[in-house]
Amino acid sequence: MPHKVELPYTRFLSPEGQLLGELPSWADDFNLLTRLYRQMVLTRLFDQKAVALQRTGRIGTYAPTLGQEAIGVAVGSVMHTEDVLIPYYRDTAVQLMRGVRMEEILLYWGGDERGSDFAEPAAVQDFPICVPIATQALHACGVASAFKIRGEHRVAVTTCGDGATSKGDFLEALNVAGAWQLPVVFVVNNNQWAISVPRRIQCGAPTLAQKAIGAGFHGEQVDGNDMLAVYDRVQAALERARHGKGPVLLECLSYRLGDHTTADDATRYRPADEVKQAWLEEPIKRLQRFMVGQGVWDEGREQTLISECQGLVQRAVDNFEAAGIQAPESIMDHVYARWPESLAGQREELLERAARRAGDSSHE
Ligand SMILES: [Mg+2]
């Protein structure tokens, strides 16, 4: 039998939004709960729009965050401005909370480099989206070791999916984080599927959180569909790392309600019943039911919020579409500090072609 290490698991709300135990005192702040809820709704509406833009050919491949809004919103809420996010490709929710603009996210997925050049000062030191699986976990350790060497009370926060935890890069990152006791938090979004590979055959360990134990630091699990539980545990993890108590691996149990990306069709490998069941556990409805039960949310507020968020999303789409196309040579702009002589010809050729095309179109 696989060896299960007993680790903490946190859940405050049932899928029906019922309180299962005592809430931490911070949860008495209904303004905070409203902000968290609002941000999940905004993320979901933006996500739907991004998928629609891909389907109509206006952006490239997009990785939907549908069903995993609570994890991203929790991470983005508890990070301090001076902390650094080292994200993966399913982090729309966190990026929005860090101040990355919706139009920047659309530019990125539209293949435009300007989408990774964040205008928001608080997000300037955050890393761009990492597409290669798990390499960002090592980048995070590099960032965290810089914080440690400089004696700064900052945390490197990195995110990844369940599949990434099987990669050598991830395990090497855990190793160095434990060996050097780095101020880094690994947030694993265990959404049960690594493209078409289900969690049960992905890895023999009963939990992904227990991988931290082998590396010599704290790991725990949380219900990733319970906004209150994730917020609480991400906050505790960041405080621990910030105060020199070492790294944390937080495994957030969730479900990928959408396709892996817009280039995938999950109906080809995933049972419909499983997805139907997962919808009953999703995070937005759960927090909404709790807030309605507490008398702090109602249908009127819901409708106002939806129309406000739809307005914000539409304005972002308008800004994205007004951004125009980048100059072709921009793909070479940030590759080298000084463009190498050996590649000078390629750059000139590109400029000549662009000039020729501009000339052609002006004679049309
Ligand atoms: Mg996954």
Side-chain angles (χ1 to χ4, degrees):
M1 280 291 286
H3 184 66
K4 181 166 182 176
V5 180
E6 287 307 321
L7 295 174
Y9 168 78
T10 308
R11 169 190 257 191
F12 294 129
L13 296 180
S14 75
E16 296 76 33
Q18 299 292 323
L19 201 52
L20 298 170
E22 206 177 325
L23 278 178
S25 57
W26 62 260
D28 295 339
D29 180 356
F30 285 118
N31 289 330
L32 171 64
L33 299 195
T34 306
R35 281 203 303 277
L36 298 172
Y37 180 73
R38 176 191 181 279
Q39 204 61 30
M40 284 203 290
V41 170
L42 178 64
T43 301
R44 185 165 294 183
L45 290 170
F46 172 79
D47 209 56
Q48 284 169 358
K49 178 60 88 177
V51 172
L53 291 174
Q54 189 279 335
R55 295 296 190 236
T56 48
R58 285 139 84 194
I59 62 170
T61 305
Y62 176 74
T65 197
L66 182 64
Q68 298 150 74
E69 295 87 353
I71 302 166
V73 170
V75 171
S77 301
V78 303
M79 282 180 72
H80 293 186
T81 303
E82 67 273 18
D83 295 337
V84 169
L85 174 71
I86 301 97
Y88 80 134
Y89 48 77
R90 207 180 300 286
D91 267 331
T92 296
V94 199
Q95 287 196 303
L96 291 179
M97 294 232 67
R98 295 289 289 165
V100 175
R101 296 176 183 171
M102 286 185 267
E103 49 265 47
E104 289 171 335
I105 295 175
L106 294 174
L107 282 167
Y108 171 81
W109 293 102
D112 190 317
E113 296 288 338
R114 290 172 295 182
S116 297
D117 183 15
F118 312 132
E120 167 59 44
V124 158
Q125 292 205 328
D126 285 353
F127 277 40
I129 289 171
C130 184
V131 173
I133 306 298
T135 51
Q136 74 277 15
L138 287 163
H139 306 157
C141 291
V143 172
S145 58
F147 294 160
K148 184 161 183 171
I149 290 164
R150 293 176 189 158
E152 295 171 344
H153 295 288
R154 302 167 73 185
V155 183
V157 180
T158 188
T159 53
C160 66
D162 40 304
T165 68
S166 303
K167 289 287 300 294
D169 306 72
F170 182 79
L171 297 164
E172 289 159 23
L174 295 192
N175 189 67
V176 75
W180 294 352
Q181 290 295 296
L182 296 176
V184 56
V185 172
F186 301 92
V187 178
V188 176
N189 179 351
N190 176 1
N191 63 15
Q192 312 304 326
W193 288 88
I195 311 188
S196 57
V197 178
R199 164 65 186 89
R200 73 189 146 74
I201 60 168
Q202 171 70 232
C203 163
T207 72
L208 301 178
Q210 72 190 73
K211 297 189 185 199
I213 310 307
F217 62 90
H218 179 73
E220 62 178 284
Q221 289 186 305
V222 62
D223 182 339
N225 291 327
D226 176 352
M227 181 76 243
L228 305 183
V230 203
Y231 184 93
D232 190 69
R233 299 327 298 156
V234 177
Q235 190 171 48
L238 261 75
E239 284 313 294
R240 190 179 179 118
R242 193 181 312 284
H243 294 109
K245 294 178 183 159
V248 176
L249 193 172
L250 187 63
E251 178 187 0
C252 306
L253 296 156
S254 177
Y255 192 86
R256 197 192 75 209
L257 291 170
D259 294 326
H260 170 68
T261 66
T262 49
D264 173 44
D265 174 7
T267 62
R268 292 168 68 108
Y269 54 80
R270 215 163 54 169
D273 281 356
E274 181 187 296
V275 182
K276 204 171 147 195
Q277 186 57 37
W279 268 105
L280 302 176
E281 307 229 350
E282 67 96 7
I284 295 186
K285 213 65 197 162
R286 189 181 304 200
L287 185 59
Q288 186 201 73
R289 285 180 181 134
F290 173 70
M291 288 166 62
V292 169
Q294 297 292 308
V296 295
W297 199 251
D298 56 34
E299 189 53 33
R301 288 187 174 111
E302 179 75 12
Q303 288 314 318
T304 307
L305 173 65
I306 288 174
S307 71
E308 181 218 334
C309 291
Q310 279 171 335
L312 292 172
V313 171
Q314 191 51 51
R315 201 172 325 146
V317 174
D318 294 343
N319 291 342
F320 160 67
E321 297 204 313
I325 295 170
Q326 258 187 317
E329 67 275 18
S330 66
I331 59 167
M332 299 170 170
D333 281 350
H334 304 291
V335 182
Y336 295 98
R338 273 181 50 206
W339 192 251
E341 273 306 306
S342 59
L343 298 177
Q346 287 188 18
R347 190 179 173 86
E348 273 155 31
E349 195 182 331
L350 194 64
L351 288 169
E352 275 166 28
R353 282 180 186 223
R356 247 194 332 265
R357 233 189 349 259
D360 288 350
S361 58
S362 71
H363 291 119
E364 273 169 11

